[in-house]
Amino acid sequence: MINIKEIDTDFLVIGSGIAGLWFVHRVADFGKVILVTKKEDTESNTNYAQGGIAAALGEDDSTEIHINDTIKAGAGLAHKEIVKMVIENGPRLVRELYEVGVKFTTYYNSFGRQHFDLGREGGHSRRRIVHCQDRTGAEIEKGLVNAVRQKKSLNILENHFAIDLLVKDGECFGAIILDANGNLIKISAKATLLATGGIGTVYLHTTNPKIATGDGIAMAFRAGAKIANMEFIQFHPTALYGKKINGRCFLISESVRGEGGILKTADGKTFAEKYHELGSLAPRDVLARAIAQEMKKSKKDFVYLDVTHLNPAVVKSRFPIIYKTCLEFGIDITKEMIPVVPAAHYVCGGIQINERGETNIPRLFAAGECACSGMHGANRLASNSLLEALFFASSAAESCKSNLKNWAFPKTIRRENFFAEFDGLKATNRFQLTETEKGRLAALLDRMRKTMWDNVGVVRSDAGLKTAEAELTEIELIYNDKFSKAIITSDLLEFRNMLIVAKLITQCAQLRKESRGLHYNIDHPLPDDKNFLKDTIITKNEIG
């Protein structure tokens, strides 16, 4: 058997985006915390969020209006009590972030009072997006990392990969971790929070960074957690066409349309108004399908987003990162239209949680994009995600605070209880792939991503979903045949997680025989409230 280092802690946090960091900020003063992140501490989907956080702070706004906008976008599946709870806490949470040190863009009115500068995005009927120009996520990440690093009870393990959760008698007691040197660590914890972010890299084109491989969802699924609504994948309608940064499509923020950007076809004609009364400010699912349809009609690989009619100084000031990045790619957005295409952006489903961030497995919590609270329903309203992450990280922290004194470690957790998949490992196990194996894995990964893009993308069909199911089954057989379980590398572990997530998305999409929100199936083009006005829930006993 291999040697495993053992560590005990009060709280184990897996993931270093806004949800994980905010939870740490909340619990570090009353317990020991270990934060595990598979990359550097600031690498996460949060870091790439350009838009901001939605909160009803404007004089012409109210929580009721924000609630209505959110429920409308959710296409009948948003949980009203959850939406109300999160949005009513929005202004308070934004102000707390500001007090922690997140430098949101503000201005002073004629009376000398400071206000948040509020932007507007698709689906919102008011200006309510609190932002830091167009780099909100990076500023939040920076502010929270600085804040939590002051906590003496916190131990951050960078470049560590969470393999699987420790579960005994139906309760979660931590996780097994792989460090950068190939050593295994068993971290026993009184409470574990999954805050591992999204799943975008399952698709061929995504705005997500390489780390968004659905690890938390896959781990929770293997442990027996309920997974909900994985069919609802949000494709951001406006990713920069033809250019990628470290494999990631560069996002042209929805705020650009909020400030007056207009979608146009290659011949310069507007089209969004044909699909929705809000035109270029329509919800993302509508615009992603509209763009896909216009691309199909014109036989072009992209459409344009036009901001050349706006004041160049305003564009440069409001969107400095977008302006600079596009300029580096040879596009001056103040003079030229921006070629854009939809890309996988956000999963509205995930690990099912309640209002306290609790999963169906005691002591296991989840928050952020890997969780499904019911807030987003069938379609996330822009910039509600960071707010949701803050709220459920806070709720999970409060639940932990009240229960910590009653929680203890089990007397024993034998190795085979939590690491059965790797039973029989000898000293000959490997922690590196050969060049041949790397090539084989890369080919499988490309095949899986193309399968998902072609068959489980913006527009779906029954036949396409069956094709995806068959392809994923074959890919899994090849994976199991070509890679020994005695090889443990983060690349293989990520692929295993991505394959599970791809299967979950595909099976949930097959179960929902209607079109609703982000799930559009040409064989079932209308919503079916009689049979499908409910969440799609899957556990490990219900998927092949």
Side-chain angles (χ1 to χ4, degrees), residues 35 50-51 168 189 214 271 329 376 428 451 456 498 523:
L35 174 65
Q50 295 175 345
K168 180 178 174 62
F271 63 87
F329 285 129
H376 307 307
T428 55
T451 294
V456 202
M498 293 168 75
D523 296 310

Side-chain angles (χ1 to χ4, degrees), residues 78-141:
H79 295 201
K80 294 180 181 179
E81 69 283 359
I82 293 292
V83 172
K84 185 174 186 291
M85 205 178 297
V86 174
I87 287 174
E88 287 181 344
N89 281 277
R92 173 184 63 83
L93 288 166
V94 167
R95 291 188 181 101
E96 286 183 18
L97 262 187
Y98 186 69
E99 290 167 4
V100 164
V102 177
K103 297 176 181 178
F104 292 121
T105 302
T106 62
Y107 70 94
Y108 290 89
N109 65 13
S110 57
F111 299 102
R113 286 189 60 192
Q114 188 179 25
H115 295 269
F116 292 114
D117 182 59
L118 302 176
R120 186 178 174 188
E121 295 182 339
H124 290 275
S125 59
R126 298 289 189 275
R127 298 183 75 90
R128 63 168 70 101
I129 312 305
V130 183
H131 61 92
C132 310
Q133 293 180 308
D134 61 350
R135 56 174 184 271
T136 307
E139 287 297 330
I140 289 174
E141 194 79 8

